[in-house]
Amino acid sequence: MVTRFSSRTTRPGRRLRTLLASGAAALALTAGSVVPGNPLAPAPTEAAAADGKTTLTVAVAQSVDSLSPFLAQRLVSTSIHRLMYDYLTNYDAKDNKAIPGLATAWEPSADKLTWTYTIRPDSKWSDGQQATAEDAAWTFNKMMTDEGAATSNGSFVGNFEKVTATGKDKLVIELKEPQATMAALDVPIVPRHVWEKVGDFSKFNNDKDFPVVGNGPFILTDYKVDSFVKLKANKDFWRGSPKFDELVFRYYKDQDAAVAALRKGEVSFVAGSPSLTPAQSASLENAPDIKVNDAPGRRFFALAVNPGARTKDGKKFGDGHPALLDQKVRHALFMAVDRKTIIDKVFQGHAVEGEGYIPPRFSDYFWKPSGSQKLTYDPAKAAALLDEAGYRKNGAGKRVGTDGEPLDFRILCHATDPNDKAIGKYLQEWWGEQGIGLEVDCLDNVSDPWYAGEYDLAFDGWSVNPDPDFVLSIHTCAALPTKPKESAATDNFICDTQYDELYKKQLAEYDPAKRADLVRQLESRLYDTGYMNVMAYPNAVEAYRTDHIKSITTMPAAAGNIYGQDGYWSWWSAVPAAGASSSGSSDSGGSSTGVLIGVGIAVVVLAGGGLLFAMRRRSTAEDRE
């Protein structure tokens, strides 16, 4: 529920290098087996394309919130921006290390307060103009001076003192204080000559004039709200042209329908909402010409508590339940959650029991609570904490406060996510045994009540990047909104001075081991406050047709995911299978899945893409990456 970028969501800043090689091996999945491949040089296409172009259609259950990289917060949107625009650096598909992107090299000064990036000479905008350091400098300066332009990725430039282009190929960034994420600035660089004409960045969605000028592996050519996004291969992309001629993201709300379409050959890839359910994946295991990929994910599934919505200057708004301001109540709720049952019954083993904020896939930053610190499932201790907090059971077994009011909560639930609904039923049972009422409020749009602070708890989740800075930054006081009910960087309005101090220390620490230790301290503090309860780390469970897709890169190489990567490797490297074909309509404006007979089409369905809520790089609601 957030990609804010991100999934979004949304950066290996700890691995700082002055010059990084870009040739890294990656893993490709092929017709029922895993074979080595190179994301930097995908194999020649062998799909039959007798008289037409090859099209890879990605069907998504999450609609695009904005095509402006300055505003987009949902995973699907930020994933599309990774395809449209180059970033200064990228992530190696093999091991997540920082590698060249628009910048071929980067080097800090002795005090690490000035960073110089060498911009590649062979990157062109799709209108023919060269991409230069001036474009990058303008992008960052706009984010530094325009609040609207800082909506999605403002946390990256908050410590910037000055950004200049000293030539077409030299970008210089001066910092106020050391910043360990300088090789992980996850910001799309846009063409100045196009974007300097924009007036109000807070309202411009980049969805009127096509094709949209970009310099990534794909060029956006068409878009229809809640229907589709169409892109074509950038034949002049410096890393090499994609092997599919066209890429289409089509809105696909019903996950079961998407799975059925995969069986029929109408689509070629299904990722789920955000993953396939156990029943769906099991039904596909032995299906002909279908491969199920079940890999450790980069996401977490959590309960988020509304700690009292407020603005940066302390103005309170929203209607969060005041009982949740008490740490004892928050801890009691979490100790009344049986995580093992959630893993066994809801995820049916396709997840790992949640502990710290960063998933175990990122081993350098993974943290788990100590034995005495851990909020284990203990209904008796939960009841005792509620008693201590002044919420005792009355004669009817209902928890009431000293004012006699019953202890009833609301939890925001994403209507398209089956995990939200299933876990909501368990919470009603477990908390009901404690005498607490729970209304599971499943909505198509959770962003509006979340921004407004009109919720008590929410199902939350993020796709974590290799560098954890972004997902850590969304819980700082600086991420709070400037005005009530406005979009902001915050996830759920947390503002804790001790957390902020630790955050600043990790951001300024260049030593990888020391920084990792500070990150783990941040996770410990976040855990103890009780505002975030990570219940599970879901696997990335997805499936594709081997008669449509010959090979596609996973990330990381060892047991990695295909959808929602930290880069563009999967769609850029995808190779059509020989003779791939589907039956259906190719009408991009209609509701059917776009397919072309005999031209090697691959249709990808990503039901749900993002976090458990709705928000990518904003704050709370959709997956950033």
Side-chain angles (χ1 to χ4, degrees), residues 33-44:
S33 63
V34 178
V35 299
N38 186 346
L40 304 182

Side-chain angles (χ1 to χ4, degrees), residues 336-348:
V337 173
D338 185 352
R339 292 177 178 79
K340 186 176 186 304
T341 292
I342 289 174
I343 300 301
D344 294 343
K345 301 297 184 182
V346 178
F347 292 100
Q348 296 183 27

